[in-house]
Amino acid sequence: MNIIKNIYKWIDERVNLEDLVKFLGKKYVPVHRNSIWYYFGGVSLFFFIIQVITGILLLFYYKGSADLAFESIHFIMSKVQFGWLIRSIHTWAANLFILACFIHMFSVYFEKSYRKPREMTWVTGMLMFFLALGFGFSGYLLPWNELAFFATKVGTDIAGAVPLIGEPLKIFLRGGEEVTGATLSRLFGFHVALLPGIFTVLLAIHLLLVQRQGMSEPLKFEALKESEKKNDAFLSKFPITRLTSLVINFECIGNSCSFFSFRIRKKS
């Protein structure tokens, strides 16, 4: 314990952690029958962090070219120690990330949490949701198998049906008239560089706004008198319940990877 206290004191003397602890100590989380929806923002962030970690690990072995992409996936799945697990975690976490974002955005919408003064929080959240869909679309082609090839062809054809900008958008996404190795290289660049960079900036703004403005309260909860409202200190029960939800989510990923591992399929 003395070692931990000394480390904390050493860091506090340099970055003034005490002010942050006092700030968090004054934060409260409203307690009402819809409080469970508060957790899906943190769950989305948890899955994003899982995506970043597993994505970096996969980058050590993945080759983003038409000649080597499929072979590198096969190597990861069959030769790299725990490679099948890392890829399965990345794939399942991607699906659960989209689901968690979807639930989070709709819970915010139906609770009317986008109202003044949280308009910018809503806008940054919606932009991140669209980027999350972009992550899914750009990452789907990377295994370079038949399923990914034809799914990307259909997806870009749908984009091409948009009036006025459809055809230029389709060519931009494909890197040409057809889905080729150029498409793979382009979507790989989007997936590992462009989209993560934009997403990280928006995430920092979003979290700053949430910390600055606090948790949104439902309209019925706001109408109550202060004496009738129930709040929990942010540093008391909330971290424990949040940690419990993250453990449950990690269990979901682990079980999904164990029983429903993704196949390699045929090369495109």
Side-chain angles (χ1 to χ4, degrees):
M1 291 296 294
N2 289 331
I3 296 175
I4 296 175
K5 288 181 179 179
N6 290 334
I7 293 174
Y8 177 84
K9 183 179 179 182
W10 186 88
I11 297 174
D12 183 46
E13 289 173 349
R14 285 154 181 81
V15 297
N16 203 6
L17 280 177
E18 198 63 33
D19 288 347
L20 177 62
V21 174
K22 289 180 180 178
F23 170 74
L24 293 175
K26 294 178 182 178
K27 288 182 65 63
Y28 291 91
V29 180
V31 179
H32 47 82
R33 66 178 183 177
N34 297 325
S35 295
I36 189 173
W37 302 118
Y38 289 141
Y39 297 112
F40 282 95
V43 169
S44 302
L45 177 60
F46 169 74
F47 285 131
F48 175 70
I49 293 172
I50 293 294
Q51 289 295 92
V52 172
I53 295 171
T54 55
I56 291 173
L57 293 175
L58 290 172
L59 270 177
F60 288 136
Y61 298 98
Y62 180 77
K63 308 295 181 186
S65 67
D67 295 331
L68 299 173
F70 182 83
E71 284 72 15
S72 64
I73 291 292
H74 189 277
F75 181 77
I76 290 170
M77 294 290 288
S78 60
K79 302 295 183 182
V80 177
Q81 193 169 20
F82 297 111
W84 66 272
L85 179 62
I86 298 300
R87 182 181 175 236
S88 295
I89 290 175
H90 191 76
T91 308
W92 274 110
N95 292 303
L96 294 172
F97 175 51
I98 298 295
L99 176 63
C101 289
F102 188 85
I103 295 173
H104 181 53
M105 295 309 299
F106 270 82
S107 65
V108 169
Y109 177 78
F110 287 117
E111 291 290 337
K112 294 182 172 58
S113 300
Y114 52 80
R115 63 191 186 277
K116 186 180 179 181
R118 294 179 173 83
E119 298 94 334
M120 290 305 298
T121 310
W122 167 257
V123 170
T124 54
M126 281 302 301
L127 290 175
M128 285 192 293
F129 177 65
F130 291 134
L131 286 175
L133 297 178
F135 275 121
F137 181 76
S138 60
Y140 204 83
L141 182 63
L142 301 189
W144 199 238
N145 54 36
E146 287 184 347
L147 178 64
F149 178 87
F150 287 108
T152 302
K153 189 176 187 306
V154 172
T156 50
D157 280 337
I158 292 173
V162 176
L164 300 178
I165 63 169
E167 193 62 26
L169 179 61
K170 182 175 76 172
I171 294 174
F172 172 72
L173 290 173
R174 289 182 174 180
E177 294 289 341
E178 299 294 334
V179 177
T180 62
T183 312
L184 175 65
S185 299
R186 178 160 297 196
L187 293 185
F188 178 58
F190 288 164
H191 193 71
V192 303
L194 182 63
L195 296 181
I198 300 173
F199 192 95
T200 302
V201 172
L202 290 173
L203 178 62
I205 297 171
H206 190 77
L207 292 177
L208 181 64
L209 290 171
V210 171
Q211 291 302 315
R212 181 68 176 172
Q213 296 168 341
M215 298 288 192
S216 173
E217 299 176 351
L219 292 172
K220 291 182 180 180
F221 190 86
E222 280 187 350
L224 296 175
K225 298 178 181 178
E226 288 298 324
S227 58
E228 296 176 341
K229 292 181 180 180
K230 183 180 179 182
N231 297 289
D232 276 340
F234 183 80
L235 291 179
S236 61
K237 295 181 181 178
F238 195 68
I240 298 173
T241 52
R242 176 64 61 83
L243 181 61
T244 303
S245 71
L246 296 184
V247 170
I248 293 172
N249 286 304
F250 206 77
E251 278 289 322
C252 290
I253 296 176
N255 290 328
S256 299
C257 294
S258 299
F259 296 106
F260 306 103
S261 183
F262 283 84
R263 295 182 294 165
I264 302 176
R265 299 181 184 275
K266 293 183 180 180
K267 183 176 181 180
S268 173

